[in-house]
Amino acid sequence: MPCWYDGPLAAFGVGTTGDDSETDRIVAAALAVQETPGASPALTRWLISPGVEMPEAATAAHGLTAGHLARRGRWPAPAVDEIARALSSQAASGRPVAVLDAPFTLTLLNHEATRHRATSLTGYLGSHPLHVLDPLVLDTHLDRYRKGARTLPDLCAHYDVKPSDSGHGTGRTADDVLTVLELVRALGRRFAARLARLRPDELHTLQTRWYEAQVHDRQTWFPRGGAADGQWPMRPTAPER
């Protein structure tokens, strides 16, 4: 059996109206599925008209304007249903899913599913656990003392990954997802001595502990940097605002 980073792998990501996982909305999403390294990934993309204001900062982040989404975006309810079902399919297959900053992405999707479908993401997954690989958590744990930022461009430069730039019509969301797919494989190869023997479910469990420790460290060194509950890969549901 191949190591997880040489076997079937998926990646998921979203474009949003902002950076608040409790209140902001999904405007774009993408899921890339790749059976082996180097194979052409199967890419599914969604554009959503969120029905709320699109801040200029959000457009600058993902390249999608309110006008473009009004013309090309779908109603949220059916699109969110498809997205949640697509992730559920990955969970049922046992294929691990790479998600950059999973607590933000999956918590936001969970709120969208509850808002538009009255069903949580956990409800969609049912009895099949989603095995998540978060390059931020992995990189922070495996190269803890490296200085500098750990944004997606920074991680790509560090792990010699060329960012995707193929223009898929969903702003930068699809390209970022394809990039994360390659990044997680590169990260696995870089730390093969420490990761090769771990199954995706074992690595998922370890990341819950690593993330909790990372949040604790940040709160110790930067007590005014904002509260975080240390829950990974999805934060507990908070009352709707």
Side-chain angles (χ1 to χ4, degrees):
M1 293 292 291
C3 301
W4 60 264
Y5 49 81
D6 285 330
L9 186 63
F12 174 72
V14 298
T16 72
T17 58
D19 57 7
D20 188 333
S21 62
E22 303 293 331
T23 60
D24 278 304
R25 307 298 174 92
I26 294 174
V27 299
L31 176 71
V33 179
Q34 187 183 50
E35 295 304 317
T36 58
S40 180
L43 182 65
T44 307
R45 296 158 287 165
W46 295 268
L47 274 181
I48 299 174
S49 180
V52 298
E53 181 182 356
M54 173 66 73
E56 291 183 4
T59 296
H62 48 59
L64 296 169
T65 65
H68 179 77
L69 291 169
R71 292 189 302 272
R72 301 291 182 87
R74 298 172 56 192
W75 290 107
V80 168
D81 180 64
E82 288 179 14
I83 294 167
R85 289 182 185 279
L87 282 184
S88 176
S89 177
Q90 300 308 308
S93 73
R95 187 180 291 110
V97 181
V99 184
L100 184 73
D101 192 9
F104 172 80
T105 300
L106 297 182
T107 301
L108 179 58
L109 176 57
N110 181 57
H111 280 290
E112 286 282 67
T114 302
R115 180 180 294 119
H116 295 294
R117 305 300 300 186
T119 303
S120 68
L121 179 57
T122 301
Y124 274 97
L125 296 175
S127 61
H128 302 290
L130 186 67
H131 298 144
V132 178
L133 303 169
D134 189 333
L136 286 179
V137 176
L138 293 170
D139 174 70
T140 301
H141 177 80
L142 295 166
D143 200 355
R144 180 178 179 182
Y145 298 106
R146 187 177 80 250
K147 296 181 179 179
R150 298 179 192 252
T151 65
L152 182 57
D154 294 317
L155 293 176
C156 287
H158 183 71
Y159 290 100
D160 299 319
V161 172
K162 182 180 179 180
S164 177
D165 186 16
S166 48
H168 286 285
T170 50
R172 285 185 281 277
T173 303
D175 282 328
D176 285 351
V177 164
L178 292 169
T179 301
V180 167
L181 185 69
E182 295 305 317
L183 173 63
V184 168
R185 290 197 188 278
L187 195 153
R189 291 190 291 268
R190 178 76 62 90
F191 294 100
R194 300 169 66 179
L195 299 177
R197 296 184 180 181
L198 294 171
R199 300 190 310 268
D201 61 317
E202 294 173 327
L203 191 51
H204 179 105
T205 298
L206 286 171
Q207 286 172 99
T208 64
R209 302 172 189 169
W210 296 345
Y211 182 76
E212 183 178 8
Q214 291 162 17
V215 169
H216 179 269
D217 286 347
R218 287 197 294 270
Q219 290 176 338
T220 298
W221 290 102
F222 305 103
R224 297 183 181 180
D229 52 41
Q231 296 292 311
W232 183 96
M234 189 169 69
R235 302 185 184 107
T237 300
E240 192 72 30
R241 290 187 288 169

